[in-house]
Amino acid sequence: MSEVAVAEVVKEPLFSKKNRALISNPLDDDNPITVQVLGICSALAITVQVKQALVMTLSVMFVTAAGNVIVSAMRNYIPNRIRIIVQLVIVAALVILVDQVLKAFVYDISKALSVFVGLIITNCIIMGRLEAFALANKPWPAFLDGIGNGLGYGVILITVSVFRELLGSGKLWGFPVFGHKVGALLSDGTLATEASGLYALGYVDNGLMILPPMALITVGALIWIQRSRNTKLIEG
Amino acid sequence: MAVDVNSNKYTFIFAAVMVIIVATLLALASESLKPMQNENVANEKRQNILSSIGISVPASEAKEAYEKYLVEAVVLDANGAVKQTELNAFDIDVLKDYKAGLSNIYKANSGDVDAMKAELLKFGTDGVNYPMFVLNKDGQDVYVVPVVGTGLWGPIWGYVTVAGDGKTVVGAVFDHKSETPGLGAEIGQASFQKPFEGKTIFDENGSFTGIKVMKGGAKGDEHGVDAISGGTITSNGVSEMLLRTLKIYEPYFLGLHSAAEPEMVELPVDSLGMSMDSLNVEVGDSLELSVN
């Protein structure tokens, strides 16, 4: 066996500058969605409502963090030739666990997310982080990296979902912010017979915002804003 | 002891051990969480049934509340007659029966599209159980009918409650497996379900109409509600589901009409007298009137 050279590592504080960067980098400079352009499919699918985006973010964060820690802890024992399959099995097992636990303890949330929890398995961010980071680093930095990338994913997801829910259905977190449309359910359990708020002035929800193409356009706009602000990201 | 992590032997052993560990873990998790998940599903069913008569309770109290309001749960056959059966109506999985029925039709008529369509139109006539829950709402019996159908991406289902007169809809709830959020998924929202209240499934001549989900708006139609814009296929699915399922329960509801009528004709003499008094008419006049 090739002897793994273990360099004597200087004891590093848990939140050293390098470790903090593991969390902060994915939020901006190395964002998984807007910079690495990974995990786009789920960003299009579940950003219609803020609530779903948040639960999805938490689930993905758990899977990236736990997956990173497990793979990192096993990194010296995983045979190189089957490492992708090993990672996939670990991710799949974690996702199934998340799904089962959600179903048992927070049934209504698991229903709202339906198939998308299962689809976390196919989220490129997770495999990408396992392959690029966890296999080469210790469990603690790998954990931070997982949390950071989960956050970076979540920030974009939630930003997009805020725009989509607000402009698409006139709500935020299910709460009507622009007033009521005709036929909307009021808090006293009756249906609104006339529009109130902005709708009374003739405002109409933008149905396009609800459809997936608009999510792509919103992500595109976010990328544009991010790059015009952060010139480091502009290539060549 | 040094082990070559890249040798064939190690790779095989690693893969086998890992798969066994993961499988055991998942099986354990699944088995230990199963009772809670089943209870959640049953409680959700109870919540849905209750919410179709306008009562909303948290999941933790669903069981108690359901038992409090339940008068009886009956099973009908495909002709709308009450069946004598050992089956517990609550345990009947209507979605499973529906799927099995669909796949039977597809298998029996593979390749023959016209025959398949004809079969689909008279769907669900053989041997299927149709559960119905009789609940007590404000001292009156109301009839909760489970409905299942097909949306755009997967099954849709719900409960429609019909009042004691067998005509008026008291309430309806719908749910879905994977309709598009913001579009078809809106059938799960109160703003779609609320308009069902007060609609009727029979016209004034007593012939069955069901409730249609109408594109372009129901505009006060008493047998129709507004469809969801952008969710046409889901809306059509709801419409089809209601027509098909309620049609099966039609004979039962017709039975309720005729059961309700004798009571209206044979008014007790006392109450007749009272209404005469309140109307300020001579008894003789009104008797003549009723003869005419």
Side-chain angles (χ1 to χ4, degrees):
Chain A
M1 123 144 212
S2 56
E3 203 61 50
V4 183
V6 182
E8 197 57 49
V9 184
V10 187
K11 193 81 178 140
E12 222 185 343
L14 281 184
F15 286 99
S16 63
K17 200 171 174 207
K18 210 172 99 205
N19 281 348
R20 281 203 309 270
L22 290 175
I23 295 223
S24 61
N25 264 351
L27 292 181
D28 189 359
D29 291 1
D30 203 12
N31 189 285
I33 295 185
T34 58
V35 180
Q36 300 175 32
V37 198
L38 295 175
I40 290 289
C41 336
S42 57
L44 305 190
I46 46 125
T47 48
V48 173
Q49 283 161 3
V50 178
K51 208 182 230 166
Q52 292 176 6
L54 184 78
V55 179
M56 185 69 175
T57 302
L58 294 177
S59 308
V60 168
M61 218 192 307
F62 169 77
V63 177
T64 43
N68 264 5
V69 170
I70 294 173
V71 170
S72 164
M74 288 167 57
R75 68 188 187 282
N76 293 329
Y77 307 100
I78 299 176
N80 197 35
R81 274 178 291 170
I82 58 164
R83 67 178 197 284
I84 300 279
I85 298 174
V86 171
Q87 291 164 19
L88 196 63
V89 169
I90 290 169
V91 172
L94 284 171
V95 170
I96 294 169
L97 270 183
V98 168
D99 196 27
Q100 295 283 329
V101 168
L102 287 181
K103 269 189 192 141
F105 294 101
V106 278
Y107 183 66
D108 40 340
I109 293 180
S110 103
K111 263 188 47 171
L113 284 175
S114 66
V115 295
F116 297 111
V117 173
L119 287 179
I120 296 176
I121 297 173
T122 61
N123 194 318
C124 325
I125 297 170
I126 294 165
M127 289 291 279
R129 292 329 291 170
L130 295 181
E131 186 68 10
F133 196 89
L135 276 178
N137 287 280
K138 294 197 158 183
W140 174 247
F143 173 76
L144 292 180
D145 181 75
I147 294 284
N149 276 282
L151 276 178
Y153 170 80
V155 165
I156 301 299
L157 226 63
I158 289 168
T159 316
V160 173
S161 67
V162 164
F163 281 110
R164 289 184 74 191
E165 187 173 356
L166 190 66
L167 300 177
S169 11
K171 292 176 185 168
L172 272 182
W173 199 263
F175 180 80
V177 278
F178 289 162
H180 297 286
K181 280 169 277 193
V182 178
L185 186 79
L186 300 178
S187 50
D188 58 1
T190 57
L191 292 183
T193 49
E194 51 190 77
S196 66
L198 271 185
Y199 295 107
L201 304 172
Y203 174 79
V204 180
D205 284 335
N206 185 349
L208 184 61
M209 287 304 290
I210 298 176
L211 302 174
M214 207 55 201
L216 194 62
I217 294 172
T218 315
V219 172
L222 284 179
I223 293 177
W224 181 21
I225 294 169
Q226 192 189 10
R227 295 200 174 195
S228 63
R229 195 178 48 80
N230 190 343
T231 45
K232 267 187 296 183
L233 297 174
I234 302 170
E235 299 113 17
Chain B
M1 193 185 80
V3 181
D4 180 5
V5 292
N6 286 318
S7 73
N8 284 344
K9 194 173 150 201
Y10 179 86
T11 306
F12 272 115
I13 293 172
F14 185 93
V17 169
M18 181 187 67
V19 167
I20 290 168
I21 291 175
V22 168
T24 315
L25 202 70
L26 289 184
L28 275 179
S30 169
E31 277 305 306
S32 58
L33 295 173
K34 193 110 241 169
M36 292 167 84
Q37 294 171 353
N38 288 344
E39 190 57 21
N40 283 336
V41 173
N43 273 339
E44 194 204 9
K45 188 170 179 178
R46 296 187 185 106
Q47 272 180 308
N48 278 338
I49 292 175
L50 287 174
S51 111
S52 75
I53 66 166
I55 294 162
S56 70
V57 288
S60 52
E61 293 162 29
K63 188 167 187 187
E64 205 178 308
Y66 172 75
E67 275 155 15
K68 186 177 137 205
Y69 285 101
L70 184 73
V71 178
E72 60 171 339
V74 293
V75 181
L76 306 188
D77 63 18
N79 299 319
V82 179
K83 232 183 190 180
Q84 295 304 321
T85 166
E86 292 295 302
L87 278 173
N88 182 353
F90 189 80
D91 294 334
I92 293 175
D93 189 341
V94 282
L95 187 57
K96 206 168 148 192
D97 287 350
Y98 173 67
K99 280 183 186 164
L102 275 188
S103 78
N104 283 344
I105 292 177
Y106 287 137
K107 267 184 225 151
N109 300 287
S110 60
D112 190 348
V113 177
D114 289 331
M116 195 188 290
K117 277 185 185 161
E119 277 297 315
L120 284 174
L121 282 179
K122 47 176 184 169
F123 179 79
T125 40
D126 300 318
V128 181
N129 295 304
Y130 294 93
M132 186 169 70
F133 308 97
V134 186
L135 265 60
N136 186 317
K137 182 185 162 74
D138 306 331
Q140 301 217 312
D141 283 358
V142 294
Y143 302 86
V144 182
V145 175
V147 292
V148 286
T150 311
L152 173 59
W153 303 111
I156 52 178
W157 60 90
Y159 296 89
V160 177
T161 302
V162 177
D165 64 2
K167 291 177 190 167
T168 321
V169 174
V170 176
V173 290
F174 300 105
D175 209 339
H176 60 94
K177 182 156 198 277
S178 43
E179 297 309 292
T180 323
L183 299 173
E186 293 291 303
I187 62 165
Q189 299 289 319
S191 51
F192 176 74
Q193 297 164 3
K194 201 84 181 162
F196 281 86
E197 290 173 19
K199 302 288 176 185
T200 55
I201 57 171
F202 288 90
D203 64 14
E204 53 276 18
N205 304 324
S207 47
F208 178 77
T209 56
I211 298 184
K212 293 187 186 68
V213 180
M214 294 164 143
K215 203 174 171 180
K219 302 186 180 72
D221 188 321
E222 61 176 18
H223 312 298
V225 294
D226 292 349
I228 302 156
S229 41
T232 307
I233 297 178
T234 312
S235 300
N236 289 347
V238 173
S239 216
E240 184 274 338
M241 160 171 95
L242 291 177
L243 282 180
R244 170 173 43 75
T245 317
L246 290 174
K247 185 79 187 156
I248 290 162
Y249 291 78
E250 180 194 355
Y252 189 92
F253 289 135
L254 275 176
L256 291 177
H257 297 182
S258 49
E261 269 154 29
E263 274 176 47
M264 283 155 67
V265 179
E266 295 165 24
L267 274 176
V269 183
D270 290 349
S271 72
L272 193 68
M274 268 169 65
S275 59
M276 295 297 163
D277 289 345
S278 65
L279 288 169
N280 265 339
V281 284
E282 297 285 333
V283 176
D285 290 351
S286 75
L287 277 179
E288 255 173 47
L289 236 156
S290 68
V291 170
N292 289 339

